Amino acid sequence: AQTVTQSQPEMSVQEAETVTLSCTYDTSESDYYLFWYKQPPSRQMILVIRQEAYKQQNATENRFSVNFQKAAKSFSLKISDSQLGDAAMYFCAYEDTGRRALTFGSGTRLQVQP
Amino acid sequence: DGGITQSPKYLFRKEGQNVTLSCEQNLNHDAMYWYRQDPGQGLRLIYYSQIVNDFQKGDIAEGYSVSREKKESFPLTVTSAQKNPTAFYLCASSTMWTASSYEQYFGPGTRLTVT
């Protein structure tokens, strides 16, 4: 079974600074998807960024980018120019191509200090 | 507007009672999923369905049941056999066949409290 590990329960960043959230996963598959989801206090899950494992290029969405290291099974999220609205729980998730269901990490709570 | 609706937002039940959580989507998605979230933890997969009239157990299916009689609906029943049913329940859906734009869309969730 796949596992996803987020080793940082909480992180804090100053507004306008950059922060990196870590994620590692374990799988024997070669083809899969990885995701970062944001969960604000409303508890609505919001997709932040997606990475296909077969793509070597790291995904980027505006201020959000990933560092995908397939051999190391590492998938970190970098948030640049942090904003107060970025404060939330962030979950790393792995999707297996069989079930096409998500396996989540335990989350990282991000605080943004003004 | 297309999306996923879950009702109700908050649900209270007495121990020993079955309770059904509703999930409806109008995104024309083939696949639907139920996840459970406990405090300080990520989401865990309860059941999923990739096609009407078929569903599969996820990682924590014990004490739960589902049905998929219509493409747009995937209700979850929390039975009295579920030992610790108090949790936040999230429903999601996705298309199965468009890999390039694949993502799971989530509903707003139902907070179930059993006393």
Side-chain angles (χ1 to χ4, degrees), chain B residues 71-110:
Chain B
K71 187 175 184 178
E72 59 270 22
S73 178
F74 191 42
L76 173 75
T77 297
V78 185
T79 75
S80 56
Q82 168 50 234
K83 292 189 173 94
N84 187 16
T86 294
F88 187 62
Y89 291 87
L90 284 151
C91 179
S93 72
S94 69
T95 179
M96 291 292 295
W97 317 117
T98 308
S100 63
S101 61
Y102 173 78
E103 72 174 272
Q104 285 194 16
Y105 293 80
F106 284 83
T110 292

Side-chain angles (χ1 to χ4, degrees), chain A residues 33 35 37 39 43-45 47 50 52 91 95 98-102 104-106, chain B residues 33 35 37 40 42-43 45 48 50 59 88 96 99 101-104 106-108:
Chain A
Y33 290 89
F35 303 84
Y37 277 89
Q39 188 180 44
R43 305 195 78 170
Q44 177 70 52
M45 296 291 284
L47 178 66
R50 171 201 306 112
E52 292 89 341
F91 291 98
E95 182 234 66
R99 303 187 303 182
R100 305 215 74 174
L102 297 172
F104 286 85
S106 56
Chain B
Y33 310 83
Y35 295 92
Q37 186 177 25
L43 283 65
L45 180 67
Y48 65 101
Q50 296 180 343
D59 302 320
F88 187 62
M96 291 292 295
S101 61
Y102 173 78
E103 72 174 272
Q104 285 194 16
F106 284 83

